C-alpha cells in the first residue's frame, strides 16, 4: 500500500488508498513522518521529505527515508541525481511521491516535453508526481512551459504542476495561462536564517493554497546557522525541547502553515535525525526565542530586483539556464 495519496474523502488515484492527513507512516524503530495535504489537492505528502542537490549518499539513505515515511524525494535534471533516485525507488515506486525539475533552457513547449521524457527514463518510471519549473526564464514567454506542463498532465506523465524560485508576480503570471490545472507548489529557499519569503511570498502562497517546499532548511549546513547565532539560542532551545539542533531548525520550518521541508541527508543516521523533526510542535515561547534572538536574512525589493536583472541578462546571452 502506498505511504501517501488521497485522503479518505477523496477517490484513490492509480488504485491506491492512503492514510489521512497527519496519520503516522511507516517506521524504522520509533521514527515516523507525518502527512500534510499538498495544496488543496486532497493528496497527502510527508511534512519532511528529502532533497538531492549536491547529494552523494547512494541509495541506502533514500531507501531509509522511504521506509520511515519521508517518502517525498526531490531531484532535478540539473542535479545529476535522477539516476540514483531511480535506483533507490526501484520496486517501490507506489510508496514514493516523486518530484523533479526542468531547467529554464528547456522551457519551450517541445523542449520541456522532451526533457520530461528524459527524466522519466533516468528515474525509471512512467510518471512524475510533481514536475517543477526550476527557475523563471525571463526570456521565454511563460505560456510555453505552462502549455507543455498541461500536455504532460493530459498524457498522464505528470500528476501535478509546480514551480521553484518563483516570485509572487511569477506565480500570478504562470497560473493565469493555465487552462485546466493549478500550480500546487513553489519550492524556495527557507530556513531560520534565510527568511526572504516572509516578505510577501509566503503569505501569498498560504492565502492561495500553494504548498511551500522549503529547500536548504538547514541553511546548507548547521555551521551557517550557528554563525548567525552568537548567543547559542538554537542549542539552548534544542536542550529545552530535548531534540537535536537540526530537528528544532526543521520543526521551526514545518510549523508554518502550508510549509514542508526537504533537507539533504547523505547518511542513514542523518535521515533518522531529520525525520525526528516531524510529529511534534515546538513550544510557542521557544519558537519566539528563535525568531527574536537569532540573526536572519531577508532580501529587500532592491536586492531582489537586482538579482532578477542579472538573471535576465545571463539568460539573454545563453548562460544561467
Amino acid at each position: 500500500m502506498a505511504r501517501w495519496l488521497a485522503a479518505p474523502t477523496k477517490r484513490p488515484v492509480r488504485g491506491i488508498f492512503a492514510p489521512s492527513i497527519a496519520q503516522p507512516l511507516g517506521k524504522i524503530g520509533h521514527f515516523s513522518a507525518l502527512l500534510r495535504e499538498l495544496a488543496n489537492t486532497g493528496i497527502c505528502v510527508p511534512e519532511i521529505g528529502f532533497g538531492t542537490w549536491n547529494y552523494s549518499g547512494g541509495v541506502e539513505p533514500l531507501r531509509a527515508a522511504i521506509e520511515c515515511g519521508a517518502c517525498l524525494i526531490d531531484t532535478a535534471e540539473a542535479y545529476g541525481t535522477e539516476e540514483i533516485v531511480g535506483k533507490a525507488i526501484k520496486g517501490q515506486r507506489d510508496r514514493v511521491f516523486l518530484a523533479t525539475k526542468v531547467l529554464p533552457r528547456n522551457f519551450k513547449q517541445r523542449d520541456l516535453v522532451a526533457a520530461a521524457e528524459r527524466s522519466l527514463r533516468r528515474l525509471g518510471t512512467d510518471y512524475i508526481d510533481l514536475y517543477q519549473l526550476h527557475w523563471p526564464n525571463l526570456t521565454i514567454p511563460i505560456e510555453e512551459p505552462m502549455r507543455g506542463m498541461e500536455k504532460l498532465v493530459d498524457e498522464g506523465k505528470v500528476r501535478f504542476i509546480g514551480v521553484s524560485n518563483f516570485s509572487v508576480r511569477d506565480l500570478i503570471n504562470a497560473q493565469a495561462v493555465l487552462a485546466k490545472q493549478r500550480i500546487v507548489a513553489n519550492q524556495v529557499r527557507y530556513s531560520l536564517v534565510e527568511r526572504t519569503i516572509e516578505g510577501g511570498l509566503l503569505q501569498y502562497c498560504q492565502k492561495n493554497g500553494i504548498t511551500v517546499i522549503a529547500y536548504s532548511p538547514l541553511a546548507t549546513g548547521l555551521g551557517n546557522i550557528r554563525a548567525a547565532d552568537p548567543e547559542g539560542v538554537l542549542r539552548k532551545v534544542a536542550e529545552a525541547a530535548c531534540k537535536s539542533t537540526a530537528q528544532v531548525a526543521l520543526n521551526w520550518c514545518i510549523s508554518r502553515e502550508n510549509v514542508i521541508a526537504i533537507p539533504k541527508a547523505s547518511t542513514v543516521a542523518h535521515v533518522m535525525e531529520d525525520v525526528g523533526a516531524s510529529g511534534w510542535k515546538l513550544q510557542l515561547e521557544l519558537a519566539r526565542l528563535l525568531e527574536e534572538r537569532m540573526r536572519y536574512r531577508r532580501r529587500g525589493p532592491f536586492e531582489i530586483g537586482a538579482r532578477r536583472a542579472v538573471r535576465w541578462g545571463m539568460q539573454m546571452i545563453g548562460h544561467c539556464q
Side-chain angles (χ1 to χ4, degrees):
M1 178 177 291
R3 301 300 179 92
W4 54 272
L5 255 172
T9 55
K10 300 291 183 179
R11 184 179 178 181
V13 179
R14 294 184 179 268
I16 302 169
F17 193 69
S20 60
I21 299 167
Q23 181 173 335
L25 297 176
K27 299 182 180 180
I28 293 181
H30 66 283
F31 293 100
S32 65
L34 298 187
L35 289 169
R36 184 169 295 186
E37 187 177 13
L38 176 69
N40 297 317
T41 64
I43 300 300
C44 305
V45 296
E47 60 185 9
I48 296 288
F50 284 90
T52 58
W53 173 71
N54 201 25
Y55 177 76
S56 59
V59 300
E60 291 310 315
L62 296 176
R63 288 175 178 167
I66 296 166
E67 183 61 29
C68 65
C71 49
L72 189 164
I73 307 297
D74 178 80
T75 181
E77 66 172 339
Y79 295 171
T81 55
E82 287 180 324
E83 290 92 345
I84 196 68
V85 170
K87 291 178 181 178
I89 68 173
K90 187 175 182 179
Q92 50 185 346
R93 176 65 182 92
D94 64 344
R95 301 178 65 192
V96 177
F97 190 92
L98 182 60
T100 191
K101 309 178 200 71
V102 56
L103 279 164
R105 66 168 175 252
N106 293 322
F107 277 13
K108 290 185 178 178
Q109 181 177 345
R110 183 176 62 182
D111 296 337
L112 185 142
V113 171
E117 294 284 1
R118 292 192 296 270
S119 287
L120 287 168
R121 287 194 295 271
R122 287 190 291 264
L123 291 162
T125 184
D126 61 352
Y127 70 100
I128 297 163
D129 293 298
L130 178 65
Y131 201 36
Q132 303 155 97
L133 303 183
H134 205 149
W135 288 89
N137 188 325
L138 307 177
T139 65
I140 295 177
I142 193 63
E143 291 86 352
E144 284 280 332
M146 291 295 102
R147 287 170 185 158
M149 287 287 201
E150 288 202 305
K151 175 179 171 62
L152 290 166
V153 173
D154 288 343
E155 293 175 349
K157 295 174 181 176
V158 166
R159 295 185 65 210
F160 299 108
I161 296 171
V163 296
S164 182
N165 302 299
F166 269 43
S167 68
V168 170
R169 179 175 61 179
D170 294 326
L171 284 168
I172 292 171
N173 292 340
Q175 184 59 61
V177 300
L178 285 172
K180 297 174 288 184
Q181 304 297 322
R182 300 289 301 175
I183 294 170
V184 304
N186 188 14
Q187 186 176 145
V188 291
R189 189 184 300 273
Y190 189 44
S191 71
L192 270 171
V193 297
E194 171 49 70
R195 294 165 59 180
T196 299
I197 68 168
E198 293 179 351
L201 179 60
L202 176 61
Q203 294 83 347
Y204 176 85
C205 290
Q206 290 171 334
K207 181 179 179 181
N208 289 275
I210 298 170
T211 293
V212 170
I213 303 177
Y215 72 80
S216 297
L218 297 177
T220 69
L222 286 172
N224 293 323
I225 295 181
R226 286 192 290 268
D229 184 22
E231 299 178 44
V233 175
L234 179 58
R235 176 181 54 79
K236 295 172 185 176
V237 168
E239 290 173 354
C242 297
K243 303 290 182 180
S244 74
T245 53
Q247 288 170 338
V248 168
L250 290 171
N251 186 268
W252 179 88
C253 276
I254 63 175
S255 70
R256 270 54 186 157
E257 179 188 354
N258 274 25
V259 176
I260 63 178
I262 51 167
K264 180 187 71 175
S266 295
T267 68
V268 172
H270 282 160
V271 167
M272 298 296 98
E273 180 181 9
D274 291 350
V275 174
S278 177
W280 56 278
K281 188 173 179 62
L282 196 63
Q283 292 180 3
L284 186 61
E285 59 269 26
L286 295 179
R288 188 178 296 118
L289 275 175
L290 294 174
E291 294 167 15
E292 295 177 354
R293 302 285 291 277
M294 289 185 63
R295 300 172 185 170
Y296 63 88
R297 181 179 188 182
R298 187 181 292 168
R299 296 187 182 101
F302 178 80
E303 183 179 356
I304 293 172
R307 291 168 67 93
R308 189 178 182 90
V310 169
R311 176 165 291 275
W312 174 82
M314 296 293 284
Q315 289 176 339
M316 284 293 291
I317 62 176
H319 294 288
C320 198
Q321 296 195 33

